[in-house]
Amino acid sequence: MLFLRRTAQRSRWLGQARNAVSSENPVAYPALSALPSTLQQRGWTSARADEEDSPKSYRFASSSPVSRRLWRERYPWTEDKLLAAPPRDVSTLQPKPPRPLVVTYPFSTDEHLQEHYRSPWGEARIGRILEDLDSLTALVAFEHCDVADERSRPPLLVTAGVEAIELHNSRLSMQRDMVMSGHVVWTGSSSMDVRMQLEQDGERQLTALFTFVAREMLTNAPHPVPPLQPRSKQDRDLFCERQRASQQRKAARAAAAGSSDLRRACSPEGELWAESLLAAAKRKADLPALAEPQQLLMDDTSLENTFTCQPQQRNVHGRVFGGFLMRRAFELAHSTAYLFAGSRPYAVEVGEVTFRFPVEIGDLLRMRTLVLHTWVHPGRPGQGRAHVQVEASVTQPEKRQSTVTNTFNFVFGFELERDRHGEPIPPKQVLPSTERQALEVARLFGPCSDRAPASSS
């Protein structure tokens, strides 16, 4: 399912999110450095790891030591226990207030933890942070559904999409502690929104919003979730905002029902703009010597990575962990932006992320990137921006078939090159190679889109 990004709405809930996290009964976890010094004693690994990680015990939703430990502590289910347990009696579901999850990363005192998250440039590895973010968000959703109650089978919770991840600072220090926290901000009949944030030195560095849907584990039917009972004014305002967003998502799905045509998501002005881009791309392809030198065909920006999904990447339901896919997509997108910009890029935003179909263990997964659009930062003329999209597809050679399972969108910033007078050179304009690419660019950046004013390249 595809969620259209609403910048104005997102700005409102992000503004509300910048207030203090609700402190009502937070679930706080101690610093990992308080544990004994060896890796085995720390809880990052275990003498029983091979036993616990057996095919019938999907306990590890991430290879990260932080989220791995929390899932061990908080998720009591194995495959056998889930199959043997009776279904949950939905008539007993009671309204629940938000209960924040708070996790500390003690980088300032724990060198072993630093090494797991360190990037080649001595900063926190953003892909690893995104991996943790997805894992811990799922834990928030599971705990709202009383996953610790072993008397009946909890629902299967699936990440339906990520509406936005705003990175206030993508160059996080490895010398200072970080705190990740989050709580449920809205529930529908069988879905919920979870807001997460990351702080360092008391300043918010990241804010994110995830949407989950609940399914009955054996029948895949929609499964009701406990209603959220907001207590504070901030929680009530966020709930109302997300309720409106949910209604708009339903309207968008209804408008696109029965068709995957991108034209349905574009305005008439956007379609005309897409046609003009295709005309410029044809000139570039047919008359390269006469085309604008600052233009580049979109297919020439692409990178690909194909790999087989391994058992170590499974989540608690035995499928490939969404955070692993997000990390791999981000790191491939970062490489794409690096090659395009000619200087090391930094992450600005994770846009919409869609999860259409689950990825199974053993699937052959192909990720392909494209630079969709570039522009100059309106307030910083020496800084460029590049929107990179990653499409993940499960390929089945035996069936001669390939299915798109996920789409990831990232925005990167970078220093612009300068001419001999020291003036910044705008980034190259990327032209779509196909009609589908043109319509996707028009949907995100064309006339009447949310980003149109800042994206005229």
Side-chain angles (χ1 to χ4, degrees), residues 33 105-111 114 174-178:
S33 59
Y105 292 71
F107 290 140
S108 63
T109 57
D110 196 322
E111 294 181 358
Q114 285 183 18
M174 296 300 300
Q175 308 305 317
R176 298 191 293 275
D177 295 350
M178 295 194 313

Side-chain angles (χ1 to χ4, degrees), residues 425-437:
I425 302 173
K428 289 186 177 182
Q429 181 188 13
V430 180
L431 299 174
S433 304
T434 66
E435 181 184 33
R436 181 176 179 275
Q437 292 173 358

Side-chain angles (χ1 to χ4, degrees), residues 25-213:
N25 299 322
V27 183
Y29 291 91
L32 293 184
S33 59
L35 300 172
S37 59
T38 66
L39 288 178
Q40 181 172 328
Q41 290 172 322
R42 282 173 185 271
W44 298 6
T45 61
S46 168
R48 298 188 301 123
D50 292 338
E51 174 188 343
E52 291 179 348
D53 208 16
S54 67
K56 292 181 178 292
S57 179
Y58 303 126
R59 300 181 69 86
F60 307 134
S62 170
S63 59
S64 152
V66 173
S67 58
R68 190 181 184 97
R69 173 172 173 252
L70 293 184
W71 277 94
R72 274 182 178 162
E73 293 177 351
R74 308 298 297 184
Y75 190 81
W77 294 91
T78 64
E79 181 184 12
D80 289 341
K81 289 171 68 175
L82 286 169
L83 293 174
R88 189 150 291 181
D89 183 358
V90 297
S91 66
T92 63
L93 296 179
Q94 298 295 320
K96 301 177 65 176
R99 191 184 182 201
L101 174 78
V102 182
V103 180
T104 299
Y105 292 71
F107 290 140
S108 63
T109 57
D110 196 322
E111 294 181 358
H112 293 284
L113 193 64
Q114 285 183 18
E115 284 304 308
H116 191 85
Y117 288 88
R118 190 187 305 277
S119 75
W121 302 281
E123 302 159 351
R125 187 176 168 187
I126 296 300
R128 188 69 76 188
I129 297 298
L130 293 177
E131 190 171 22
D132 272 8
L133 185 68
D134 182 86
S135 180
L136 297 177
T137 303
L139 190 57
V140 172
F142 269 107
E143 292 200 328
H144 183 78
C145 293
D146 298 313
V147 71
D149 182 0
E150 299 184 54
R151 294 171 297 178
S152 59
R153 184 170 61 245
L156 167 68
L157 291 171
V158 180
T159 307
V162 182
E163 183 170 308
I165 300 177
E166 184 176 300
L167 293 159
H168 309 289
N169 179 13
S170 65
R171 293 179 174 171
L172 302 171
S173 172
M174 296 300 300
Q175 308 305 317
R176 298 191 293 275
D177 295 350
M178 295 194 313
V179 177
M180 189 178 290
S181 60
H183 64 284
V184 177
V185 295
W186 173 84
T187 55
S189 58
S190 61
S191 61
M192 69 179 75
D193 288 348
V194 178
R195 180 174 65 81
M196 300 291 289
Q197 62 188 33
L198 181 72
E199 293 186 354
Q200 191 171 60
D201 288 339
E203 296 184 1
R204 189 157 292 112
Q205 308 293 350
L206 176 152
T207 312
L209 186 72
F210 285 68
T211 298
F212 288 85
V213 294

